[in-house]
Amino acid sequence: MSSTENLNPTGSASPVKPKADTKTRTAIISTFIAFIGAGLISSTWASRIPQLKAALDMDPAAWGLVLFAMAVGSICALPVAGLIIRKIGEKLTVRFASILAGSSLAAIGLGYIGGPVPVVIALFFLGFGVGAWDIAMNVQGSAVEHRLGKAIMPKFHAGFSMGTVAGALIGAVLIAWNVSITVNLVGIGAIVAIVVAIRVAGYLSPLDVSELLDEDELAVSGVDPLVEDPFADPASTVVVDAEADEGQEDSSAQPTSGSGSPYISLGQAWREPRTLMVGLFVMFFAFAEGSAIDWIGVAMVEDFGKSAAIGTLGLATFLATMTISRWFGTNLLDRFGRVMVLRIQAVIALAGVLLFVLSGNLIAMFIGVALWGLGVSLGFPVGMSAGGDDQRNAAVRVSVVSSIGYVAFLGGPPLIGLLGQGIGVIWALMAIAAVLPIAFLLAGALRKPGKVAA
């Protein structure tokens, strides 16, 4: 006779005891700082987009192609990031990627004076650095979450949002004080690169992660104890997942089993239906988030005739509501489950986009932006958690989910620019309203996997 047991962040039926030891607390702080730094880099760049676009005297279509350089850089980084992490670990990956991203941000601040070519080159390397940085810190966040024994990933992403809010507010203040683009981008790029490169020393190592697979969990899974690098190339695959009922902490499906190593290859991860569906869900939410970051300010300035400072405050409003929701959203996820919460958020985001586009009133626009940020807040972090539900295969699955998601997160904003050339940026944003209902339907793929105890 089978019985069900409570799930934990690893997707295992056996309990994982929280390990809030010094090493774990240090890793939490280090991971949190890495997320903050990534957000600060991203929003510092985004806060100066209207001024850079004006300085280079580009129409929406041409500017969209400039933005595409960043998308290309990230898309180049994402497929190889998992392999890089396996080779040198999350610590060195984040260290090198943060230095590359900070240097590239500074290069934009110095290079735009010479025209669009230096900006395009710097954006490519900024995209590559941010892409590799993002996957590595999410893999580390998943490891910390599993070692801690409770959900914390949305709070790490809240740290990213805090960084974006800080970057947007700093940008708004510096714009109001007539501080140059160069000072803003060079200063933030240097500070973030130095701080993050130093703080990643506190990351968990692969051996720290392997401690999670204690004898009780191994007995349930039938896997021999780990004695080597948990990111080593697999010899075979074991699938032990079973879908849990929506919003519940138990499982009704029977697991499948295999023999040999429990680890899967990157190619195998790309062929898993659930991983691909999670990636598609993340892609649509990322499209809504990335387009907001890159185009809210431009739409408010160019389509509604507001000042640059108002446009930046609109972006800051979006980022602030997204941050608040990520920080407190873990309680909702624990109470109602991933699927219900994410579907409600898709509806809220849709309402926010429509209000922003159709209202024409400044107050209503800010309310719309706030709802937009609230609605898209948990899609990306919960997608990363879903990719890392099985800690053994977190690196390859998070890499796949991120790769699919970033197609829209970075390629979507240039698409908005191309559409905006013909119909205006504000109406181009209606493309977001078209994909959110699809995300609503795909949310079921993010149900927590579990295992049935015999």
Side-chain angles (χ1 to χ4, degrees), residues 24 79 84 86-87 93 105 133 139 171 203 250 297 311 324 331 334 354 400 433 444 448:
T24 303
I84 295 172
R86 280 182 171 177
K87 189 70 174 179
T93 303
L105 183 67
W133 183 351
V139 171
Y203 270 21
D250 58 7
I324 293 169
N331 294 330
D334 290 340
L354 294 176
V400 171
K448 288 184 178 181

Side-chain angles (χ1 to χ4, degrees), residues 48 51 112 170-185:
R48 290 292 188 158
Q51 289 74 46
Y112 84 96
I170 290 170
V173 170
L174 295 182
I175 290 169
W177 290 351
N178 293 318
V179 176
S180 71
I181 295 172
T182 301
V183 171
N184 189 180
L185 271 55

